[in-house]
Amino acid sequence: MKTVTLPITSEWPSGREERRSFALAQVDAIRGRLEAGVQEAQTAGRLSDDSVAALREAGILGIMTPDDLGGNEVDPVTAFEIIEAVGRIDPSTAWTATILLEGAGQLATQLTAEQADSVFSTGLPLKAGSLRPGHAEKVDGGYRVSGQWDFVSGVHHADFVSASFLVDGQDGKTERRMALIPVTQVQVLDTWHVLGMKGTGSTTFKVDSVFVPEEMVFNPMGAPKRTDTPLAKLTMVPYVLQMHPGMVLGAARRALDEITRMAPNKRRGSRINTAASKSLAESSWFQRELGQLDARVRAARALAIDANERAYARIESGNAVDLELQDYMQTAAAHAAETAHHVITRAFRHAGAEAIEESGVLPRLLRDINTVLAHGVLGEIGFELHGEFILGLQTAENRRMV
């Protein structure tokens, strides 16, 4: 396992607002390093090692890990804002960071105290995983696991992978299990050749009859080993939903940054109409749409933050996130992605010829947001689930996972 140097926990203030300000300042401090790694990630199909090192050193990858294990735990709103800030730099970086830091938080939640002390003793362990079931055979003391698992974002930078498989549970129902396997025991395949989100490195790993002891196998939807972590308090689906909207709304804000920068010097059609005198910035129709796009991002952001504030209030009061709030968070996520898609597409269209350069920011954002929309967490299925909820067709038991 990789040994890393983490900030001393005392460097992060203890108060919620103080910690929030400090965390966002940490993102600002590594902005240059993350920006510098974007093109390398696009070419290599994975984040640069320096980008991941910067995220580690800044403590960003510890925001879902309790402080006593070397993390820098933050509340749901702050988590959203951190990922939003990274997403404004690069969606692939934000996505990969989110997966890895969520994975570290899952290790903190699902391992016993003794196991966690061992695994976290040399630095923050990062985990990548896949929900696609593979095969596992029950043997003495654990399972023998085989198969391939795809769409494993961040696997090149992980210390562990979680390999999902199915077992026969109580009452004949099929249940999911996850086997935690050191990444040194898996084969990482080269399968990530995609349109967008290239830097996430969401490739495939293969396992061939690896023994996993019983204590390293857990039910991701079952009772946690530790109950005071962000994952344990939020449960799996809200745990994921708190951050992903931030990534796409950060990308949308970056698109508006780009077109706003271009607007004073952009004269659409000037190659043909040499009399064109007004720049985009001087055109009332562009001013109107820019105002509308900005309002859309602000509204979607307000919805996501309100959902996270409600989640924070629930867990602070010792209550679980109920069905209504989970639906609210899922709806906010779907709305954030749909909004980001509209905003990025419109910014791209206004940029003219400059937008078609493959290495440009706007074409990258356009490829990324269209790729993201294929993912269930941020896809249109969120609206379908919300419609089911409005119609009274859902219960906590029958609601589908996206």
Side-chain angles (χ1 to χ4, degrees), residues 51-329:
S51 290
V52 177
L55 291 164
R56 280 184 180 272
E57 292 162 12
I60 303 305
L61 297 182
I63 64 172
M64 288 293 107
T65 299
D67 289 20
D68 63 276
L69 288 177
N72 316 284
E73 182 183 335
V74 301
D75 65 274
V77 176
T78 299
F80 166 91
E81 290 183 303
I82 290 169
I83 298 305
E84 178 187 37
V86 179
R88 195 167 181 171
I89 298 169
D90 175 49
S92 286
T93 304
W95 184 277
T96 308
T98 301
I99 296 301
L100 292 175
L101 67 87
E102 287 173 344
Q106 191 172 59
L107 291 174
T109 303
Q110 298 293 353
L111 297 178
T112 65
E114 182 179 5
Q115 289 168 327
D117 286 343
S118 174
V119 168
F120 282 81
S121 64
T122 56
L124 189 73
L126 305 178
K127 183 189 75 67
S130 171
L131 292 175
R132 180 174 182 175
H135 174 74
E137 177 187 0
K138 188 73 175 74
V139 296
D140 288 344
Y143 290 85
R144 193 157 291 282
V145 181
S146 299
Q148 286 190 189
W149 288 262
D150 54 8
F151 295 100
V152 190
S153 304
V155 66
H156 299 94
H157 308 287
D159 302 295
F160 292 89
V161 296
S162 55
S164 180
F165 61 92
L166 302 177
V167 300
D168 293 328
Q170 296 180 347
D171 302 324
K173 294 182 179 179
T174 300
E175 295 182 355
R176 188 182 301 274
R177 294 290 185 271
M178 284 187 170
L180 295 175
I181 306 173
V183 75
T184 53
Q185 293 182 267
V186 310
Q187 179 184 1
V188 178
L189 306 179
D190 181 18
T191 63
W192 190 240
H193 306 284
V194 290
L195 173 72
M197 299 299 283
K198 295 181 179 182
T200 63
S202 303
T203 192
T204 302
F205 73 82
K206 180 180 180 180
V207 173
D208 185 15
S209 192
V210 170
F211 174 73
V212 181
E214 187 76 48
E215 61 269 21
M216 295 296 278
V217 176
F218 66 93
N219 178 357
M221 308 306 292
K225 303 292 194 305
R226 177 172 176 167
T227 60
D228 64 340
T229 69
L231 172 55
K233 289 184 283 189
L234 284 165
T235 69
M236 177 64 75
V237 176
Y239 179 70
V240 173
L241 291 175
Q242 65 181 321
M243 284 176 283
H244 280 69
M247 180 265 295
V248 292
L249 291 176
R253 180 54 63 187
R254 177 63 181 275
L256 292 183
D257 291 344
E258 290 297 307
I259 197 62
T260 300
R261 174 186 60 79
M262 296 177 187
N265 299 310
K266 176 71 63 181
R267 286 173 169 78
R268 294 298 307 275
S270 59
R271 286 182 175 85
I272 299 172
N273 181 12
T274 57
S277 58
K278 282 190 175 182
S279 66
L280 282 182
E282 297 168 312
S283 302
S284 61
W285 60 268
F286 175 78
Q287 295 164 0
R288 180 172 59 251
E289 181 161 30
L290 182 62
Q292 291 172 334
L293 296 177
D294 178 76
R296 283 177 180 248
V297 174
R298 289 174 183 269
R301 186 177 191 272
L303 188 70
I305 286 182
D306 183 60
N308 278 352
E309 283 285 10
R310 295 188 189 194
Y312 177 66
R314 292 283 297 182
I315 61 178
E316 279 295 286
S317 64
N319 296 310
V321 173
D322 60 10
L323 178 63
E324 181 178 8
L325 181 51
Q326 180 175 314
D327 177 74
Y328 185 28
M329 295 178 76

Side-chain angles (χ1 to χ4, degrees), residues 374-394:
H375 195 282
V377 171
L378 291 159
E380 292 179 344
I381 190 175
F383 294 121
E384 181 180 332
L385 294 174
H386 185 45
E388 288 180 358
F389 178 81
I390 293 171
L391 292 167
L393 302 176
Q394 282 181 7

